[in-house]
Amino acid sequence: MSPRITAALAGRRRRAVLGGALALVTAGGLTLAAVAPAQAASSDVVITQVYGGGGNSGATLTNDYVQLHNRGGSAVDVSGWSVQYASASGTSWQVTKLTGAIAAGADYLVAEAAGAGGSTPLTDPNATGSIAMSATSGRIALVTAGTALTCGASCAGSDGVRDFVGYGSVTDAEGSPVPALSNTTAALRGDAADTDDNATDFTVGDPDPTGTGSTPPPTGEPARIHDIQGAAHRSPLSGKPVTEVPGVVTAVGPQGFWFQDPHPDRDPATSEGLYVFTSAKPAVARGDSVTVAGTVSEYRPGNSATNLSTTELTRPTVTVVGHDARLPKAVVLGPGGLRIPRAVRTDSPGDVEKSATFDPRHNALDAYESVEGMLVAVRHATAVGPTNSYGELPVLPAGDPGVRTRNGGVKYTGYDNANTGRLILSSTLAKVPDANTGDRLTGTVSGPLDYQFGNYMLYPTASPTVVSGGLRPGTTRPQRAGELSIATYNVENLAPGDPQSKFDKLATGIVHNLSSPDIVAVEEIQDNDGATDDGVVAADVTWTKLIDAVTAAGGPTYQWRSIDPVNDQDGGQPGGNIRVGFLFRTDRGLSFVDRSPGDSTTPESVTSVHGVPQLTHSPGRVAPADDAWQDSRKPLAGEFSYHGKPLFVIANHFASKGGDDPLMGRYQPPARGSEKQRDQQAVLVHRFVGQLQAIDPAARIVVLGDLNDFEFSDTAHTLTADHSLVDLPGTLPLRDRYTYDYEGNSEVLDHLMISPSLLPRHDYQVVHINSEFANQTSDHDPQIARVRP
């Protein structure tokens, strides 16, 4: 399973109603159970901003602060109330007492301790304290009394606590905590709604303090949508109230609506569309002419600082002034319409939202921003990936110049090629049908343009019509006499509790699509009770169930070898203890050399016996104690014998891409911090291969598995350095060179590398049976090589 997908799941649905208990996994690996709401949400005063980086390095503001807002219909006297702070896990609370009243709809600013840095003091705070709050993690309570809390480390539901916010790695929060903050970011409640889940109610963004005390908020000034959007990624009116904003409703969602000015300005850089967040089903219909008053806000999807923000109106007052107005004409995206530049960003690197330039003619992000919230359309688009389980489908407009794959996808060819013409169709407003890569969408698909999860998304207002492109699962021929076939297959968190249908489909793929390979390196085998985190690490039940399914599908009776990991030390789904291993058949002259099998912590080594390399442990794990494998799967080395000739196979599942910036995200070029660990892992595997080849330069070696990196990456180059191995995906034509589809980019994540001694007598194929299909068994395609050792 793609780690980049799993990293986005916690905030998967924009402003959706969330149920059940969530868990937050911090950067340090600490898992914090979510706290279920302990009291009813506040009907009036709530905490709307928390900032603890004031006066720190890089900060603009000199002070920490907490901001409140009265979401009720009448003034609330807060005399005798307090704002209280405790550290992430502390049991003592510091108190700042409040005075006065907060008018209905008004904000109330509480200034806290100042630091040595910063240049801008808080303006007219309503209360002042001296609490030095943590910039990264802590807990804030709004209390209807002035005495310090005594509830220790679990206070969210205590008597007198009107509202509560935990941020970062804390022991207490309403629901799940807000992600960690920094010297330059604050926790921002996107609107006044209170669901009693901090992670749902708050985003992370730039501090934006306002204080109005007992004075009602300003009435604002009349504005047009293009004034609000501006020629920038963030509104020039962010945080300000506006009134009498005219437009025609173009689409209605479950918690808001989009409207568009039918009288645009002459600046193509300023969008004429805008989203109005109402928090409940709005009382407007498509085609209504409206005027809207509200507060201009910037919404950060998924609480992720790497996402671009979207401009919207919150706390709206909507007046319907007419019905059945003519809708604005949708802006066609792609060839024949608004051309999306190939470059994501061409100016200086860094935060796109703080860039001094805004150039829709040369920057793809700016081009999309120039039509944010407007009706847009794609014509005769092609699916460049399958519809996922969230009803999202990546498409490419007809005529886009990307490198197309054999099956109609678009190839990711390098770090400077994001295939910016890709657009995600979402089922937010109308269901997007299941589609496979290469399927075509007839006619024009139109709807408002939004931004979510690192991608621009089109929300069709009517379900598109999909015409099949005729995609069929790939197959490969059986191995011939004297040929040894070797495959690799990521089976995506396979556990005994999975439906039998998953085992059966995997077995069908192995037997019929891969023609029952002699050796299969398997990734993501979970332990015997799957994601239950109870200390179980054995996986014999999982292996046996898979082997039985293969036999039932008409395949041979495979044997397996693997090593159980140390509990919760190899990453992946918590409690699942995924690992790599081998399936192999013994009816074609192949056998596994069992020699002093290793364990989870004993490193594999190589010895020379009469000038022939041997593994000390078979199977054994490569350098399992090295820091490079922290929270990652350890490679498994096995020694095989094929008609008396030794063959060394090393199965791998390198560290995930979790935490890398999105291609179409806020920071450009995207930071790829996960690469460092994979580079270190590649060094260790390359070194191990070198030990075998130092004894026998013609040693028969296969390195394969899910490396979580591209064929042009440093990871791949490190493994193939000194011509020790040949990476077979890189030998394919571009149109065939992919094992995975990520958000519409066909890319290589899985590799099969062979030593030069095997190169002259081989053939190789990626067998596309998963990544391009809506109803896939795994998200990875297997690959296979046939060699003559």
Side-chain angles (χ1 to χ4, degrees), residues 605-607 613-615 648-650 687-701:
S605 59
V606 180
T607 60
Q614 286 188 357
L615 300 184
F648 303 95
V649 183
I650 306 166
R687 185 179 301 161
F688 184 79
V689 170
Q691 293 173 12
L692 292 166
Q693 292 177 330
I695 298 171
D696 179 6
R700 302 167 186 85
I701 305 168

Side-chain angles (χ1 to χ4, degrees), residues 423-702:
L423 199 62
I424 310 296
L425 305 186
S426 168
S427 296
T428 297
L429 302 179
K431 179 177 173 54
V432 175
D434 282 352
N436 298 328
T437 299
D439 288 354
R440 298 182 301 280
L441 281 68
T442 61
T444 300
V445 179
S446 63
L449 184 74
D450 198 23
Y451 180 90
Q452 294 284 322
F453 318 115
N455 284 290
Y456 280 95
M457 293 191 168
L458 190 162
Y459 297 162
T461 53
S463 293
T465 299
V466 173
V467 176
S468 173
L471 184 66
R472 295 290 182 268
T475 59
T476 194
R477 67 170 177 82
Q479 59 272 50
R480 302 184 180 113
E483 285 183 334
L484 181 73
S485 57
I486 307 167
T488 177
Y489 199 170
N490 183 319
V491 295
E492 193 180 359
N493 287 317
L494 185 65
D498 287 339
Q500 182 61 41
S501 58
K502 179 173 182 177
F503 284 87
D504 293 342
K505 290 177 182 178
L506 289 170
T508 297
I510 291 171
V511 175
H512 298 289
N513 300 92
L514 292 174
S515 296
S516 300
D518 296 298
I519 301 172
V520 184
V522 184
E523 301 90 49
E524 293 201 21
I525 289 284
Q526 290 198 352
D527 62 35
N528 288 339
D529 60 5
T532 302
D533 196 0
D534 57 1
V536 171
V537 294
D540 54 299
V541 175
T542 316
W543 285 110
T544 300
K545 192 171 181 179
L546 178 58
I547 289 171
D548 288 346
V550 169
T551 304
T557 301
Y558 279 95
Q559 297 185 31
W560 64 276
R561 295 292 186 274
S562 187
I563 292 177
D564 297 333
V566 177
N567 187 46
D568 291 336
Q569 295 299 304
D570 282 18
Q573 190 174 14
N577 290 309
I578 56 174
R579 78 288 311 273
V580 298
F582 301 114
L583 290 176
F584 60 94
R585 53 190 293 185
T586 59
D587 58 330
R588 299 191 64 257
L590 178 71
S591 61
F592 190 87
V593 179
D594 290 292
R595 184 183 300 114
S596 182
D599 56 29
S600 58
T601 59
T602 301
E604 181 65 276
S605 59
V606 180
T607 60
S608 176
V609 178
H610 306 298
V612 177
Q614 286 188 357
L615 300 184
T616 303
H617 307 286
S618 182
R621 302 179 100 192
V622 176
D626 195 282
D627 288 343
W629 306 113
Q630 183 176 358
D631 295 323
S632 180
R633 284 66 54 189
K634 286 68 175 173
L636 186 71
E639 185 174 334
F640 291 83
S641 177
Y642 182 63
H643 293 301
K645 296 179 180 179
L647 175 74
F648 303 95
V649 183
I650 306 166
N652 302 272
H653 187 184
F654 280 11
S656 79
K657 288 183 175 292
D660 287 2
D661 289 351
L663 292 178
M664 301 287 284
R666 175 181 177 185
Y667 300 104
Q668 295 294 330
R672 305 187 301 273
S674 69
E675 290 183 354
K676 181 179 179 180
Q677 184 175 9
R678 288 191 299 278
D679 291 346
Q680 294 169 343
Q681 293 173 343
V683 167
L684 295 175
V685 174
H686 179 260
R687 185 179 301 161
F688 184 79
V689 170
Q691 293 173 12
L692 292 166
Q693 292 177 330
I695 298 171
D696 179 6
R700 302 167 186 85
I701 305 168
V702 179

Side-chain angles (χ1 to χ4, degrees), residues 8 20 31 40 98 102 104 114 140 208 223 232 435 638 684 705 754:
T31 302
L98 310 181
I102 309 178
I140 297 291
D208 189 22
L684 295 175
I754 61 176

